[in-house]
Amino acid sequence: MEANVARAERSLALLTTTFLANTESVKANIALVLETILSQNLFTYMGATEVSADTAKRYSSAIHKWLARINSLATGKTSESRMAGVLLIKHTAQQSPQLFAENVGKWTTVLVGVLGKAEITPVVEAVLQTLLAFVDAVRDIPMLHREIVSAQVPRINQAILALADKNPDLTGPVLQMLEHMATWFPKLFRPSIDKTAALCLRLLDGSASRASAELCAQAAQCLAALSLAGGRVASEERWFEYVQQAVGTIQQCIDRIMCAETGDSVQSAFALPELADNFVVAIPQAADRISAMADVLVALLTQPTAEDVGVPVDAILGAASRLALVPVRAASSKMARAELDVVPVLAPQIQRASVRIMAALAISLGSLMHPYLSAVARAATAIGTQQISSAATRVALHNLLQLYIERYAYGFVVHLPYDLIITAVGEICVYQRSQAPPPTLEIVPSKKRSGSGKARGASALSDETAPVAHLRWDDTTLAAQAMVLALLLHTPTMLTSALRTQIDSQVLTLLMLYAIGGIETPFATRESDVPYKVQLLRCLEASLLSPDPWQRAIVPHAVAVFNASQNDPSPRVRAASAAALVAIDPIIHSRLPAQLREPDTEENISEEKQVARMVAASDDSVSIEAVLA
């Protein structure tokens, strides 16, 4: 310990006096300094008792000089110095809880002061990350609540809100910081609720949905976090108000797209700018606003709340169903308006917003969604039967159906049209086969002649002309496989015998073609096919564990496929095949059915040993009943 503390003291003195001596040294050596303090743990010996007084004094002096130097860098004249000071403060605090507790008040004041100055974006981002780490750590230290939380958090909130107006590039980090502040300190955040809500709504008016989807999602999460802060109204009332306003905004946008007047059913909506008069601008903007409001509903429904809240399921599901039917009503409308011709272009975006809302309802409400499963099935059917559908929409629909099948099983599948299931099964088949050219008859001269006097011929069919199956693996295929797997695991009896036979034949065909190398995929390496092979193996395993009474005997073929997959180069495929072989082992060895036995207790084991000793000591046979009696 003595040697380690002395080494740390010398390293700190060297870093402080040499590598951080001036601005040029800091700019050239900051990476080396950070790597040194991270790799050598120079601040972990604070308060060590197994060292001499002289060594401890010199170590404390080195740390004091180090703290003075990094504080000076954080308030330096150049951006490079301030960046280095912020990074060194952050890593020093992370290494030593004692130094953090002693200096967090001063460091927080310095960092908040940096936010109030004109600074470059990287420095401000580093300051925000450091402040977030400090505030997160202070939450678990009650003795620092008065010094840091009560005194500094309101100042931090004001400084952060001012940053969003000064530098639009910092909107993402600012929203992240505001979301955490509203969640961690709701009472202290109440004075900043209105300004934060206005900042979020500026991003949720549809202008940022297409250009920056991540930024729009952050704004939705931040707006959902504001519902926890309360304020003039209770938190549950604010949450319910936000939900109603999001649903009302969606209804207004649908009315604008369908060229209809907003009815009395729309009671409240967010105070957003009016849509443009020109439909070429207004309708895409309305679709983007719908996507933004879908993000808001998803964030509100998935946000944990301290109090019970009343969820207006009818209103939310009604908006989602209406979104799913927008392309149908636009196509069947008798109005000869040019606005309706724009709807098919935006149909995938509108349908995906509907899917996200229905998925959030299932995640947040759980078993409370049982009375509404038929409405969800009708909305999913409206999306699945569209003539205009994108690959992203099909992926979202398959994922939605998989979610509801896994959560509600037969309660949902009974309402689902069989055409959607057949469509999902058709997504995992071989799309096309390259037809081999007809074999050419090659006449080979031979000295021997047949009885009729004609020359014998030999047909030569080269390997290059052999038929090869071509597949287009994509996200749609993987999502369809996941949906079929959910059906086999949770609702196997809902599938007809013909459809089960089709699933088994397609899965076995694909896996056997993989085994013999008969599939050519558009990817350069076989590693990209691993998720699809794993999903196919799991589908085959699920089909064997839930067999159909009229199912053909596929066990021998399945065992051959699983054994062949044991030699696959991918460890994920080998693990999936090994797990499948273990699962179907009772099916293979029908004479030795699996039996689940509880282990013997110590009392039974001791009695059995006693009986064995008595039998060995006696000439006559002793019955177990007599011994136990």
Side-chain angles (χ1 to χ4, degrees), residues 19 54 80 152 155 161 204 222 234 328 380 399 461 501 615:
F19 294 103
D54 183 59
E80 292 83 359
Q152 298 290 353
R155 292 184 56 203
L161 286 171
L204 294 171
C222 184
V328 177
N399 291 335
L461 185 63
T501 302
V615 171

Side-chain angles (χ1 to χ4, degrees), residues 279-408:
F279 73 91
V280 178
V281 178
I283 293 182
Q285 186 179 3
D288 294 340
R289 188 170 292 183
I290 287 173
S291 298
M293 291 299 107
D295 291 337
V296 172
L297 287 176
V298 170
L300 288 169
L301 290 171
T302 57
Q303 174 78 31
T305 57
E307 303 291 338
D308 294 335
V309 294
V311 182
V313 184
D314 292 327
I316 297 174
L317 193 56
S321 301
R322 197 177 175 198
L323 287 174
L325 292 173
V326 163
V328 177
R329 293 177 178 175
S332 59
S333 177
K334 297 181 180 179
M335 292 188 300
R337 302 191 60 147
E339 290 91 330
L340 299 179
D341 296 335
V342 186
V343 175
V345 180
L346 304 171
Q349 180 182 1
I350 297 174
Q351 291 170 344
R352 290 196 298 273
S354 175
V355 168
R356 294 204 307 275
I357 295 173
M358 291 186 288
L361 286 173
I363 294 172
S364 60
L365 297 182
S367 60
L368 299 177
M369 275 295 292
H370 278 289
Y372 306 96
L373 294 180
S374 59
V376 174
R378 288 194 297 270
T381 304
I383 297 174
T385 56
Q386 296 300 319
Q387 296 180 355
I388 301 175
S389 180
S390 65
T393 305
R394 294 203 304 274
V395 171
L397 180 61
H398 290 328
N399 291 335
L400 176 69
L401 296 178
Q402 176 195 355
L403 173 64
Y404 272 83
I405 291 169
E406 291 176 350
R407 287 183 175 265
Y408 307 106

Side-chain angles (χ1 to χ4, degrees), residues 54-389:
D54 183 59
T55 303
K57 182 177 180 181
R58 286 189 282 107
Y59 181 65
S60 300
S61 176
I63 289 181
H64 179 73
K65 293 179 181 179
W66 169 268
L67 294 177
R69 182 55 183 156
I70 63 176
N71 291 336
S72 175
L73 289 174
T75 57
K77 297 181 179 180
T78 63
S79 299
E80 292 83 359
S81 299
R82 291 190 291 271
M83 185 71 172
V86 172
L87 294 177
L88 293 174
I89 286 174
K90 178 181 178 181
H91 292 292
T92 302
Q94 289 177 346
Q95 275 200 15
S96 177
Q98 182 178 349
L99 290 177
F100 172 74
E102 294 174 355
N103 299 274
V104 63
K106 183 176 182 180
W107 285 340
T108 304
T109 304
V110 171
L111 294 176
V112 174
V114 174
L115 292 180
K117 300 177 182 179
E119 191 57 84
I120 60 176
T121 302
V123 175
V124 178
E125 290 179 349
V127 170
L128 291 176
Q129 293 176 1
T130 306
L131 283 175
L132 185 62
F134 283 2
V135 174
D136 189 13
V138 165
R139 290 191 303 148
D140 300 328
I141 308 176
M143 66 181 65
L144 295 176
H145 282 189
R146 177 178 297 180
E147 179 184 359
I148 303 301
V149 176
S150 302
Q152 298 290 353
V153 166
R155 292 184 56 203
I156 293 174
N157 294 336
Q158 295 176 2
I160 293 172
L161 286 171
L163 281 176
D165 298 330
K166 295 179 182 179
N167 191 350
D169 296 335
L170 294 171
T171 306
V174 165
L175 289 174
Q176 182 185 11
M177 192 82 176
L178 292 173
E179 177 189 351
H180 286 93
M181 288 296 184
T183 305
W184 294 341
F185 312 105
K187 293 183 179 180
L188 296 176
F189 197 81
R190 288 174 182 174
S192 304
I193 288 180
D194 295 336
K195 292 183 179 180
T196 306
L199 172 63
C200 295
L201 291 178
R202 286 204 304 268
L203 300 171
L204 294 171
D205 63 351
S207 59
S209 298
R210 195 176 302 274
S212 180
E214 295 181 358
L215 190 62
C216 185
Q218 283 185 343
Q221 291 289 342
C222 184
L223 188 65
L226 295 182
S227 62
L228 305 177
R232 294 187 299 271
V233 296
S235 59
E236 56 270 18
E237 295 179 3
R238 185 182 295 276
W239 186 92
F240 188 80
E241 179 184 358
Y242 282 169
V243 170
Q244 283 189 322
Q245 290 177 342
V247 172
T249 304
I250 290 176
Q251 298 286 8
Q252 287 181 352
C253 293
I254 295 176
D255 293 337
R256 179 64 181 88
I257 292 174
M258 299 302 298
C259 305
E261 295 182 0
T262 303
D264 298 334
S265 58
V266 180
Q267 299 178 356
S268 62
F270 285 116
L272 299 176
E274 294 292 335
L275 298 174
D277 295 333
N278 187 0
F279 73 91
V280 178
V281 178
I283 293 182
Q285 186 179 3
D288 294 340
R289 188 170 292 183
I290 287 173
S291 298
M293 291 299 107
D295 291 337
V296 172
L297 287 176
V298 170
L300 288 169
L301 290 171
T302 57
Q303 174 78 31
T305 57
E307 303 291 338
D308 294 335
V309 294
V311 182
V313 184
D314 292 327
I316 297 174
L317 193 56
S321 301
R322 197 177 175 198
L323 287 174
L325 292 173
V326 163
V328 177
R329 293 177 178 175
S332 59
S333 177
K334 297 181 180 179
M335 292 188 300
R337 302 191 60 147
E339 290 91 330
L340 299 179
D341 296 335
V342 186
V343 175
V345 180
L346 304 171
Q349 180 182 1
I350 297 174
Q351 291 170 344
R352 290 196 298 273
S354 175
V355 168
R356 294 204 307 275
I357 295 173
M358 291 186 288
L361 286 173
I363 294 172
S364 60
L365 297 182
S367 60
L368 299 177
M369 275 295 292
H370 278 289
Y372 306 96
L373 294 180
S374 59
V376 174
R378 288 194 297 270
T381 304
I383 297 174
T385 56
Q386 296 300 319
Q387 296 180 355
I388 301 175
S389 180

Side-chain angles (χ1 to χ4, degrees), residues 555-570:
V555 175
H557 307 290
V559 173
V561 168
F562 292 144
N563 288 330
S565 299
Q566 291 289 298
N567 300 322
D568 195 272
S570 172

Side-chain angles (χ1 to χ4, degrees), residues 18 166 188 449 477 484 542:
T18 303
K166 295 179 182 179
L188 296 176
R449 292 188 174 271
T477 307
V484 171

